[in-house]
Amino acid sequence: MSPTPDVELRERVRRIPGIERLLPALEGLPPAYLVGGAVRDLLRGADAVDVDIAVEGDARSVARALAERLSAEVREHERFGTATVRAGDLGFDLATTRTEVYDEPGALPRVAAASLDEDLARRDFAINAMAVGLTGDDLGHLYDPCGGLSDLNDGVVRVLHDRSFLDDPTRLLRAVRYEVRLGFRMNSATESLARAAVVDGALRTVSGARVRDELLDLLGESQAPAGVRRMHDLGLDLALHPALDSDPDLVASASLGAAAIGADPALAALAALCAAAPAELDLWLADLHLPAAQRDSVARAARVGPRLARELRAGEHQPSQLRSLLGREPVLSLALAMAMGAPSEPILRWVTELRSVRLEISGDDLLAAGVPEGPAVGRALDETLSRKLDGLVSGRDEELETALAVAREAAR
Ligand code: ATP
């Protein structure tokens, strides 16, 4: 298909923040194209979020030339010969147009330089397989060899060949993400291929880290609950782990709870998926290779969320009791507790007000007053803070008096 000049598209490209500096800098360099999600989003009339540029030439030398012309910083990535360029508000990724060969299903592909059309044909779905020319007279020309524009108009997610989900089963999660984000649907051939790939155990060939990236992207969507419902419909949840519980309502409340208290909604949704069988899912979670702190808080939230919800539902709690119950919990546990029916008032009160309350005195004040070094110091401060939270102690003098009394009591 020959490229179609498109005045409107050219104008939309020109409205990408920072692009007015990039376009003149591309002059005299190998042909460059805007590719991937940015093209899809410009055609939908939405803002292009990530600017991905493909060049028919060596991406890293183009990146270096651009960095010099734009006084920008460039970071080169070894594995796929790509580079990231950043100059103030302008940031973009550059890649050489390439083919990808999958030696084994699920593994990362071998790449080789290729034409733009071949580069578009290696992509996940037709709606993501369009390009727009950025160089000279080509500015604004749409390259659409796979029929992406018509899919975009029809609301269709469609793979480009029959082995697509087997070559890269993370595309199963990507397909669901685009369905729920855009309100689209796989066409029936694509859905049949997806279901067949799930039944074939395709997801078992993918590393946990790659599943993690796509799963968290899906769970981070505002439509994550619909995504979880669709995962279940396609058998994706079961394929990831039979103990995952795809309860869209729980995922919805976990994400909302997380947003209300400053926790990560995608991680809260992941904890919600694990909450029905946290012990069984421990190894699966570990295999996702989340950063250790995130993995620990997801696992903990899944484990303690139900208990916290029960205890908070059981009756009113003094501030000091809230501290004993919630003080050592990551915010993710609190988000999950809310999702599982804990009253939100005590949790919000803890997060917004109580957890930042501190004593005016410190251990040094107790040592200076003659309390010997040892565990009694910590215990006295702890007890004093509890009393302060409950409104029984106020001001520095009362704090010191209380802490000294507690320390003396402990020494007896
Ligand atoms: P989004 O689509 O989430 O808005 P994006 O377009 O930046 O953002 P990325 O995951 O960064 O999405 O992918 C960029 C482009 O690379 C996609 O639009 C698609 O063309 C291609 N791509 C990404 N992942 C795959 C994959 N697993 N298989 C084939 N092509 C892919």
Side-chain angles (χ1 to χ4, degrees):
M1 182 177 165
S2 63
T4 326
D6 185 329
V7 175
E8 175 58 27
L9 194 51
R10 187 179 309 166
E11 287 317 304
R12 289 184 195 178
V13 169
R14 284 208 170 108
R15 287 200 289 270
I16 297 174
I19 202 91
E20 71 286 352
R21 286 187 288 138
L22 173 61
L23 294 178
L26 286 169
E27 261 171 50
L29 296 175
Y33 309 90
L34 188 66
V35 288
V39 179
R40 178 197 68 220
D41 290 339
L42 285 186
L43 287 168
R44 289 168 55 235
D47 290 337
V49 180
D50 290 328
V51 175
D52 288 323
I53 295 174
V55 288
E56 284 180 318
D58 177 31
R60 287 191 289 184
S61 30
V62 171
R64 274 176 237 136
L66 284 174
E68 206 172 303
R69 292 178 184 186
L70 294 163
S71 307
E73 277 173 35
V74 60
R75 233 181 45 232
E76 298 183 21
H77 313 290
E78 248 348 282
R79 181 167 171 101
F80 292 118
T82 57
T84 304
V85 177
R86 176 147 289 289
D89 66 336
L90 174 64
F92 51 91
D93 286 324
L94 275 169
T96 301
T97 49
R98 64 184 194 249
T99 52
E100 294 184 341
V101 178
Y102 291 85
D103 291 328
E104 279 171 63
L108 287 176
R110 268 186 301 127
V111 302
S115 67
L116 176 65
D117 274 10
E118 287 171 295
D119 182 274
L120 295 176
R122 74 172 167 84
R123 291 173 186 266
D124 48 2
F125 310 112
I127 52 169
N128 287 341
M130 293 179 276
V132 181
L134 293 178
T135 328
D137 288 346
D138 199 33
L139 177 63
H141 288 189
L142 178 67
Y143 293 80
D144 181 20
C146 309
L149 185 56
S150 116
D151 283 3
L152 209 50
N153 291 329
D154 296 343
V156 164
V157 176
R158 178 171 55 88
V159 286
L160 303 180
H161 59 90
D162 287 359
R163 283 197 54 80
S164 187
F165 288 125
L166 299 176
D167 282 346
D168 182 353
T170 64
R171 292 172 187 161
L172 293 161
L173 292 164
R174 295 178 65 84
V176 173
R177 172 154 63 90
Y178 292 119
E179 280 193 336
V180 297
R181 185 199 294 175
L182 304 172
F184 282 19
R185 193 78 176 178
M186 287 184 241
N187 68 341
S188 66
T190 299
E191 182 161 338
S192 302
L193 292 168
R195 288 184 184 278
V198 171
V199 171
D200 276 3
L203 275 164
R204 284 201 293 273
T205 64
V206 187
S207 72
R210 296 190 63 221
V211 168
R212 171 201 65 212
D213 288 345
E214 292 298 344
L215 184 60
L216 287 181
D217 277 356
L218 174 56
L219 296 177
E221 293 283 334
S222 59
Q223 300 297 325
V228 163
R229 184 176 290 115
R230 183 68 165 141
M231 278 177 63
H232 185 62
D233 168 45
L234 294 166
L236 277 170
D237 50 354
L238 211 73
L240 288 174
H241 195 292
L244 286 176
D245 177 26
S246 321
D247 175 347
D249 294 333
L250 187 60
V251 165
S253 342
S255 305
L256 279 177
I261 59 174
D264 182 312
L267 293 176
L270 180 60
L273 293 180
C274 297
E280 267 180 80
L281 286 159
D282 236 22
L283 282 178
W284 178 78
L285 259 186
D287 192 44
L288 295 182
H289 294 284
L290 288 160
Q294 289 186 1
R295 182 204 53 218
D296 291 349
S297 54
V298 170
R300 182 158 180 92
R303 229 175 27 246
V304 306
R307 174 175 61 77
L308 291 180
R310 261 193 323 275
E311 293 194 20
L312 287 166
R313 260 200 321 262
E316 293 247 330
H317 289 77
Q318 290 290 316
S320 60
Q321 294 171 311
L322 288 179
R323 175 166 175 255
S324 330
L325 202 58
L326 309 178
R328 290 179 200 282
E329 291 300 333
V331 272
L332 220 48
S333 301
L334 313 189
L336 212 65
M338 280 210 271
M340 302 192 108
S344 53
E345 190 276 327
I347 292 184
L348 291 175
R349 184 164 182 225
W350 170 253
V351 170
T352 56
E353 179 194 330
L354 300 174
R355 78 170 164 180
S356 56
V357 172
R358 299 281 179 273
L359 290 175
E360 291 177 44
I361 58 167
S362 71
D364 287 344
D365 296 307
L366 298 191
L367 298 179
V371 177
E373 236 174 277
V377 174
R379 245 176 274 138
L381 292 172
D382 197 63
E383 174 60 27
T384 307
L385 179 57
S386 285
R387 294 190 197 176
K388 178 173 182 170
L389 283 168
D390 289 345
L392 304 173
V393 170
S394 99
R396 189 185 153 78
D397 292 347
E398 277 186 37
E399 284 181 15
L400 191 56
E401 198 181 309
T402 306
L404 288 174
V406 175
R408 278 188 207 113
E409 183 68 24
R412 275 214 225 139

